[in-house]
Amino acid sequence: MEDVQVVAMLVRRCVAGDAAAWEEIVQTYNRRIYNICYRFAGSANDAEDLTQEVFIKMYRTLTSYDSSKGAFVTWVTTITRNLLVDHFRKTKQDRITDSLDATASSREDAQPLSEQIQDQSAPPDARVRSREVGETVHAALARLSPELREAVILRDLQDFDYREIATVLKVPEGTVKSRINRGRAELARLLQRTYRQVM
Amino acid sequence: MPDHTSNGMQCHEFDGLLSDALDGVLTGLQLDRFQAHVRTCSACGPLFAEVEAGRNWLKDLTEVEPPVSLVNNILASTTGVDTQRLRVNVSAPQPRIGWVERAQAWASGAMQPIWRTVRQPRFAMSFGMAFFSLSVALSVLGVKPADLRQVSLRPAAIRHTYYNTQARVVRYYENIRFVYEVESRVRELKRNVTPTEPRSGEAAPVKKDHKDDTTQQPEQKQERNYSQTDSRIILASAPMGPSVNDLPVVSVTTYRRFV
């Protein structure tokens, strides 16, 4: 996933005060962190704020990174995950599966999940359809419990292996696999139920 | 999940192998047993289908593009420096960091809070005012930067400098126009109040002709008229003339030169 030596050198330079090294780290990891935040928080605005917070925290604690204890990306993802959990606890959006009549976002005028799926076959353009399906799945993903959501995001969207996920989530690998399977099944049930209503 | 055995595999064992099966890492006999369990178990079969469907749904989620301003915002909120400057040589191979560079980096990091404070306009204004005040004070005291090179720290030299400075300060004080005007007024008042001792047979004191007049007026000596001198002598020696006490008091104002 990353060249350990190169990243370790980059971090050493950054700790030594090399601002260009820090910018390189930001350039390399901002996309990954933004996507994790976006999929977990569900909103682009929240994702942007959270990504900035992650990098600020990273910048302050960069000296605590020990390359012998694990990959830099795992360390970065752990910081991201902890911050997301904190954010989740603050906003108290704890839930497992919402009603299909619930809107996909916090906006009152947003379309319910069932209507979003109903519209997905309407546009002829495959790219537009794919984008709308993506938005529907994203909305369904936001309905998963945070434990299942974070495991699914790290595995299926970020391609982490089980050991790395176990390190980030601080749970055994067996628990990680179980959460991933339950998350996928829950997502499928939610989307299939929606599909049946539409059809 | 109900835990029962089907085709030699229990459901909890199936749950443990589910991820590996979807990842395609199961092979041989283990894969055969797993597939057989999926076909025959009423609970695990649908679960496998759901998990597989969920994973396929997630494949529709592509990476989203972060906002264009994100990197700049992050850099501004962390380092607070101009990002354009940092982009130079980012991809260039970096040399090995020596202890000198580390020390410099440490020093710059340690000095950063101080430098940040110094750069504040309030601090700069205070420093400027202090510098100005110090310059004025040194100028008034007659201290010149060139003199500092010749400063000697021998006790005798220090004593000499001390007395020199003291004399200069006293001279400066006494030469202030206001001070010596006040002093002359005081002297005048004292002269008016103190009665002069009458001395019979003594002529009126002749004013000593000093050359300390700085009014740029021609000296009185040049306009001396000896005929007037003669008449003055006559007046002083006239027995019937006014006594010394009756003579009008002439006020004399002396002017000192500025040094």
Side-chain angles (χ1 to χ4, degrees):
Chain A
M1 192 169 281
E2 63 181 8
D3 189 336
V4 178
Q5 296 295 328
V6 172
V7 174
M9 183 66 191
L10 201 61
V11 171
R12 274 203 301 276
R13 278 172 50 204
C14 193
V15 169
D18 187 345
W22 170 244
E23 188 182 13
E24 197 172 340
I25 288 176
V26 174
Q27 294 279 10
T28 307
Y29 293 98
N30 81 87
R31 189 185 178 91
R32 176 187 286 274
I33 293 172
Y34 178 80
N35 270 274
I36 294 174
C37 293
Y38 176 69
R39 294 304 178 195
F40 191 90
S43 133
N45 288 336
D46 284 349
E48 190 174 353
D49 293 344
L50 287 164
T51 305
Q52 281 194 48
E53 284 183 40
V54 168
F55 276 101
I56 290 170
K57 192 172 181 181
M58 200 195 306
Y59 187 72
R60 288 175 181 164
T61 58
L62 203 57
T63 49
S64 67
Y65 168 65
D66 185 357
S67 57
S68 64
K69 289 183 180 175
F72 185 69
V73 71
T74 309
W75 183 75
V76 169
T77 310
T78 306
I79 291 177
T80 308
R81 184 260 176 182
N82 292 341
L83 211 94
L84 287 171
V85 170
D86 287 345
H87 171 75
F88 180 81
R89 284 177 185 150
K90 281 177 193 166
T91 53
K92 297 185 186 302
Q93 48 178 257
D94 195 4
R95 44 122 348 266
I96 294 177
T97 303
D98 275 358
S99 161
L100 286 175
D101 292 331
T103 55
S105 71
S106 56
R107 289 184 295 119
E108 289 182 357
D109 57 343
Q111 281 187 319
L113 194 59
S114 54
E115 287 181 22
Q116 289 182 15
I117 289 184
Q118 192 174 18
D119 289 344
Q120 76 179 24
S121 58
D125 189 354
R127 226 173 61 179
V128 174
R129 183 181 174 280
S130 171
R131 185 171 57 82
E132 291 189 353
V133 170
E135 287 174 3
T136 307
V137 177
H138 176 70
L141 185 64
R143 298 291 179 270
L144 296 182
S145 69
E147 290 83 11
L148 304 185
R149 198 189 321 160
E150 63 189 5
V152 165
I153 288 171
L154 293 180
R155 176 62 189 161
D156 291 329
L157 302 182
Q158 296 297 324
D159 292 326
F160 278 75
D161 61 36
Y162 298 113
R163 190 172 51 82
E164 286 174 324
I165 299 172
T167 305
V168 171
L169 302 185
K170 299 181 182 69
V171 292
E173 279 190 41
T175 308
V176 169
K177 289 180 179 177
S178 172
R179 286 184 184 178
I180 290 168
N181 290 333
R182 281 163 51 208
R184 288 168 174 168
E186 179 105 14
L187 188 76
R189 276 197 289 272
L190 181 64
L191 290 169
Q192 283 165 3
R193 192 161 45 135
T194 307
Y195 240 141
R196 275 201 297 273
Q197 278 193 356
V198 171
M199 303 301 267
Chain B
M1 181 185 290
D3 198 9
H4 64 272
T5 304
S6 175
N7 291 322
M9 179 178 279
Q10 288 192 330
C11 289
H12 74 268
E13 191 182 352
F14 164 86
D15 196 33
L17 294 173
L18 182 52
S19 299
D20 293 339
L22 286 170
D23 293 339
V25 295
L26 280 187
T27 54
L29 183 61
Q30 206 172 27
L31 179 61
D32 295 339
R33 286 175 62 228
F34 182 85
Q35 288 175 339
H37 186 84
V38 168
R39 281 193 300 271
T40 55
C41 180
S42 60
C44 295
L47 177 64
F48 179 77
E50 283 175 347
V51 172
E52 193 173 28
R55 196 183 67 152
N56 292 336
W57 277 111
L58 287 165
K59 284 179 182 172
D60 286 330
L61 289 181
T62 53
E63 266 200 341
V64 290
E65 284 294 327
V68 180
S69 59
L70 182 62
V71 172
N72 284 338
N73 290 342
I74 290 168
L75 292 174
S77 59
T78 49
T79 58
V81 296
D82 182 17
T83 59
Q84 297 297 330
R85 186 176 58 79
L86 299 178
R87 288 203 178 86
V88 180
N89 295 330
V90 163
S91 57
Q94 296 296 325
R96 189 180 177 81
I97 301 171
W99 65 271
V100 176
E101 286 82 4
R102 288 185 187 184
Q104 284 175 344
W106 179 85
S108 68
M111 292 298 289
Q112 198 171 6
I114 300 170
W115 179 237
R116 201 176 296 151
T117 308
V118 167
R119 281 193 305 175
Q120 287 179 356
R122 189 177 53 181
F123 184 88
M125 197 71 180
S126 305
F127 182 79
M129 288 302 296
F131 181 76
F132 177 74
S133 307
L134 194 65
S135 303
V136 169
L138 289 175
S139 167
V140 165
L141 290 174
V143 177
K144 294 174 186 173
D147 296 342
L148 294 175
R149 292 178 197 157
Q150 300 164 359
V151 166
S152 172
L153 293 177
R154 283 181 295 112
I158 292 172
R159 255 198 312 277
H160 177 72
T161 309
Y162 168 74
Y163 288 125
N164 241 354
T165 309
Q166 192 184 29
R168 195 182 299 137
V169 169
V170 168
R171 242 189 341 263
Y172 174 79
Y173 169 76
E174 288 186 344
N175 283 334
I176 295 174
R177 186 184 183 90
F178 176 74
V179 172
Y180 70 70
E181 276 190 356
V182 169
E183 281 178 351
S184 64
R185 292 285 179 197
V186 169
R187 274 198 300 272
E188 185 182 332
L189 281 173
K190 278 182 180 173
R191 204 162 33 236
N192 288 343
V193 169
T194 309
T196 52
E197 294 176 5
R199 290 183 185 176
S200 58
E202 192 176 337
V206 180
K207 184 186 169 190
K208 193 178 180 183
D209 202 5
H210 288 295
K211 286 185 180 179
D212 54 357
D213 187 2
T214 57
T215 56
Q216 304 299 324
Q217 292 174 355
E219 291 183 5
Q220 296 292 328
K221 193 190 284 181
Q222 295 173 354
E223 296 174 359
R224 185 175 291 176
N225 190 339
Y226 290 97
S227 63
Q228 286 178 2
T229 310
D230 291 339
S231 65
R232 213 186 303 157
I233 293 169
I234 293 167
L235 279 172
S237 60
M240 299 303 289
S243 67
V244 175
N245 288 338
D246 296 335
L247 287 174
V249 177
V250 179
S251 64
V252 177
T253 304
T254 59
Y255 293 97
R256 295 188 179 203
R257 289 172 59 195
F258 285 101
V259 177

